[in-house]
Amino acid sequence: MLTDLFTPSLLHTLDIAGVFVFAISGALLAVRKNFDVFGIVVLAEATATGGGLVRDVIIGAVPPAAFTDLAYLITPLTAAVLVFFLHPEVERINRAVGVFDAAGLGLFCVVGTTKAYDHGLALPFAALLGVVTAAGGGVLRDVLANEVPSLLRWDREIYAVPAIVGAGMCALLIQFGALNPVTSALSAATAFVLRLCAMRFGWRAPRAWNRSSTRAERE
């Protein structure tokens, strides 16, 4: 099904583009945390490929593409080198990087869902793996940097919700036999726009109902 929607070369190009922007975000966090060059590379690689690795291992697509295609190694390394030498300039375009990150989120939630379904998973679990593909790298990045993952923090704009919506749309389209290049692009675009709106308007997920704790938020 996946190859019916996208040519292999186009799919690979889009995947590598997403890997690059996710690697940039990981490398930038490493610089902010004052990591050395090795730490910058590790965070770049983990952010770029973490979600896809988890997905491929779960669905049995082994060895994962990250270990069979040099592009998945070289692309994050390139991003890490750029950030290492040019991080002040990269920081200045951080908002643009956020836009590309949102685009990667939309793309990966659809590609991840479809690939998982192609490997025999039921649609709810395929959609779940679509979310893992899109957000898993960011979670791994934050854990390695000794931070609470962004998608679990109430004071950060929603991140997983757009991926859930995009992956859910993709799963429903598969269920009703309506997935095609146009509708798959619509699913990815929906996740992308939701993430951009969250960034623009500061949308956050609700906390516990009737929460009355007076503790400091950092606790």
Side-chain angles (χ1 to χ4, degrees):
M1 178 182 294
L2 192 61
T3 53
D4 293 337
L5 298 176
F6 307 99
T7 65
S9 60
L10 175 59
L11 183 63
H12 186 263
T13 299
L14 294 173
D15 205 22
I16 293 302
V19 163
F20 181 77
V21 295
F22 282 142
I24 289 286
S25 70
L28 283 173
L29 178 60
V31 171
R32 296 187 193 114
K33 300 287 286 188
N34 203 28
F35 287 5
D36 62 14
V37 62
F38 180 74
I40 293 173
V41 170
V42 168
L43 247 62
E45 293 280 354
T47 308
T49 62
L53 279 172
V54 173
R55 178 203 61 215
D56 288 351
V57 169
I58 290 175
I59 65 178
V62 292
F67 290 101
T68 59
D69 188 336
L70 273 177
Y72 289 90
L73 174 66
I74 294 173
T75 302
L77 280 176
T78 302
V81 170
L82 287 174
V83 171
F84 181 80
F85 288 106
L86 302 173
H87 64 86
E89 287 73 20
V90 176
E91 285 279 10
R92 292 192 191 103
I93 62 168
N94 199 28
R95 187 161 187 83
V97 172
V99 173
F100 284 109
D101 181 86
L105 182 82
L107 170 67
F108 281 4
C109 71
V110 172
V111 171
T113 300
T114 312
K115 185 173 182 180
Y117 180 74
D118 280 348
H119 280 75
L121 265 67
L123 283 173
F125 301 107
L128 177 60
L129 278 189
V131 176
V132 170
T133 304
V139 172
L140 183 58
R141 173 200 65 206
D142 292 341
V143 169
L144 289 174
N146 197 30
E147 292 196 346
V148 177
S150 296
L151 84 169
L152 300 179
R153 294 181 56 174
W154 77 271
D155 58 339
R156 298 289 179 86
E157 298 88 355
I158 54 173
Y159 192 87
V161 172
I164 291 170
V165 172
M169 284 183 61
C170 182
L172 286 174
L173 288 166
I174 294 173
Q175 176 67 38
F176 292 104
L179 189 69
N180 55 52
V182 174
T183 57
S184 62
L186 179 62
S187 299
T190 300
F192 172 62
V193 171
L194 281 176
R195 175 57 183 161
L196 288 185
C197 288
M199 293 167 58
R200 174 65 179 83
F201 300 109
W203 291 350
R204 297 171 181 171
R207 290 187 285 173
W209 186 254
N210 288 332
R211 181 179 179 274
S212 59
S213 172
T214 57
R215 287 174 143 188
E217 299 296 352
R218 68 181 58 185
E219 298 177 0

